[in-house]
Amino acid sequence: MEEDDNLPNTAAAEASDSALQRKHAAMIERLSNSHQSRLARKPNSESNSTFISTSSFLSRFSESKNSIESTLSRIRQTPDPHSNPTLKSELDDVSISIADLEKLVAENSFSLPSYEVRTCLKTITDLKQLVEQVTGEVIPRKKFSFKNKSTKKITTQNDIVSEVPNVESKDSVLRVLDSPGFRGKENEVLVKEFGRGNDEEIREFVLSDLKGCDVRLMGNVRALFVHKLIDCKVYVGPVFGSVLIEEVTNCVFVMASHQIRIHQAKRCDFYLRARSRPIIEDSDGVRFAPYCLKYEGIEKDLEEANLGEETGNWSNVDDFKWLRAVQSPNWSILPENERVGTVDISNREPKS
């Protein structure tokens, strides 16, 4: 598969998207290796029939990629694009197509060669950059501004902030523009229960620009994005998909997820349950221990998310920036005498 050398790029976007693409590639490659090992032990596994062949996959991927690029090229050449009301919906459709393409790679990564996985992920990253550039050319950007407020109160799902966070990473901005979450809070207890009332359709949840907060997320959510947290304690129920954590300092995280990626974490403790090996990058002083969360109904939530069993992956951490055979100095196992006990977040009230 060839990469499109003509895709536009900037130094800032390259640095941000390249780092996320490398982390995503490393995660998928580890999952692929683990799956191949299981297949070697169980040659008759039914999972062999769930993936399309490599040649069929590459043909389908290439067809989708060419279609996306053709659509973006047509949008770019539209006369007087600023007066065309349909362009935004067309760009939204393109973004959905790219998301579907990324899902296709994830679903078939177990059966694909590692090189093809990395190449496809790089192509997807380039397509996302192209969409962003074309959007900037044909649709005027709105400027957002808001001030963080420092309060002393308990925030529940009825008080979730909806404004756009002031984050620098372009990829981070794209992730959180339309996602509900807690943003710009300080010294608060933030409570959210998923799967209650009208919250069943929530797919992504965001924690951004928090300081000194106690965050309690109960129930199942599809994905969690964490950005710029300082001195926070974050307790999370099962995440069906992935957790991406960026720029966190002096925090404690208790979470269960299929995939966990940690970038730029400093002096943080992670109590995890994960289906794949956690990945860290540009981090130091991070420590790991097993998941220890409790609330009413958590066992059912874990089973529904296919996270009911302890995998032991909390201690199998991959440091993407440490390629030597010896143990990475950037992470360690949290000593048992320093670990917290079971954390029960059933009580909404802050601890006295």
Side-chain angles (χ1 to χ4, degrees), residues 104-352:
L104 178 67
V105 175
E107 290 176 343
N108 292 275
S109 60
F110 294 140
S111 60
L112 293 173
S114 298
Y115 169 77
E116 297 295 355
V117 172
R118 291 193 297 270
T119 302
C120 290
L121 291 174
K122 176 61 169 63
T123 299
I124 290 171
T125 297
D126 291 340
L127 289 174
K128 289 179 179 179
Q129 292 176 2
L130 182 57
V131 169
E132 185 180 353
Q133 183 172 37
V134 172
T135 300
E137 293 174 359
V138 302
I139 298 179
R141 294 179 181 270
K142 295 181 180 180
K143 295 183 179 180
F144 298 92
S145 62
F146 70 96
K147 296 182 180 180
N148 291 342
K149 297 181 180 180
S150 177
T151 58
K152 301 284 185 178
K153 67 177 183 179
I154 301 175
T155 300
T156 66
Q157 59 262 41
N158 296 324
D159 306 310
I160 293 177
V161 180
S162 60
E163 66 262 37
V164 177
N166 182 22
V167 293
E168 297 176 358
S169 167
K170 290 186 177 181
D171 189 76
S172 300
V173 171
L174 293 176
R175 283 177 176 271
V176 302
L177 280 177
D178 299 318
S179 300
F182 294 123
R183 302 176 174 94
K185 303 290 185 179
E186 185 172 349
N187 299 326
E188 293 190 29
V189 176
L190 309 174
V191 181
K192 172 69 180 174
E193 294 183 73
F194 301 108
R196 275 73 170 176
N198 296 323
D199 295 333
E200 295 181 0
E201 298 301 320
I202 290 181
R203 298 184 62 84
E204 279 194 348
F205 198 77
V206 179
L207 304 176
S208 180
D209 295 288
L210 305 180
K211 184 176 182 181
C213 291
D214 188 321
V215 183
R216 307 172 187 178
L217 307 182
M218 292 171 277
N220 293 334
V221 67
R222 294 291 177 181
L224 178 66
F225 181 71
V226 180
H227 184 263
K228 287 189 177 179
L229 269 60
I230 300 175
D231 298 327
C232 291
K233 294 181 180 179
V234 180
Y235 308 109
V236 183
V239 179
F240 278 104
S242 62
V243 175
L244 177 59
I245 301 173
E246 294 182 335
E247 298 182 49
V248 293
T249 304
N250 295 330
C251 294
V252 174
F253 295 91
V254 182
M255 52 182 52
S257 177
H258 283 244
Q259 304 163 1
I260 300 175
R261 294 170 287 170
I262 302 166
H263 187 238
Q264 292 183 332
K266 312 295 181 186
R267 301 179 300 281
C268 293
D269 289 343
F270 296 88
Y271 295 80
L272 306 180
R273 179 177 296 183
R275 297 287 295 176
S276 60
R277 297 163 68 106
I279 294 173
I280 67 172
E281 184 176 12
D282 296 322
S283 301
D284 64 74
V286 294
R287 305 186 298 178
F288 293 85
Y291 192 57
C292 59
L293 191 64
K294 178 182 178 182
Y295 61 80
E296 184 177 355
I298 189 173
E299 295 301 330
K300 178 181 177 181
D301 290 341
L302 287 168
E303 290 295 335
E304 290 180 352
N306 197 23
L307 289 164
E309 296 182 2
E310 174 58 64
T311 63
N313 281 328
W314 63 269
S315 62
N316 297 323
V317 180
D318 285 333
D319 186 348
F320 195 78
K321 286 298 183 70
W322 185 262
L323 303 180
R324 302 179 186 178
V326 297
Q327 165 70 32
S328 165
N330 299 318
W331 71 273
S332 62
I333 301 297
L334 183 59
E336 291 189 16
N337 62 348
E338 297 183 32
R339 298 176 188 176
V340 299
T342 299
V343 180
D344 191 340
I345 60 173
S346 300
N347 182 10
R348 286 168 162 267
E349 296 300 323
K351 298 178 181 179
S352 57

Side-chain angles (χ1 to χ4, degrees), residues 62-133:
S62 179
E63 181 180 350
S64 298
K65 168 182 174 291
N66 292 336
S67 175
I68 291 170
E69 291 176 342
S70 176
T71 301
L72 289 174
S73 177
R74 176 180 56 77
I75 292 175
R76 212 171 203 170
Q77 297 172 11
T78 301
D80 193 16
H82 298 299
S83 62
N84 191 328
T86 67
L87 290 185
K88 185 178 185 304
S89 62
E90 289 188 61
L91 287 167
D92 289 340
D93 290 340
V94 170
S95 296
I96 292 174
S97 296
I98 294 176
D100 291 340
L101 201 58
E102 192 168 21
K103 180 180 179 182
L104 178 67
V105 175
E107 290 176 343
N108 292 275
S109 60
F110 294 140
S111 60
L112 293 173
S114 298
Y115 169 77
E116 297 295 355
V117 172
R118 291 193 297 270
T119 302
C120 290
L121 291 174
K122 176 61 169 63
T123 299
I124 290 171
T125 297
D126 291 340
L127 289 174
K128 289 179 179 179
Q129 292 176 2
L130 182 57
V131 169
E132 185 180 353
Q133 183 172 37

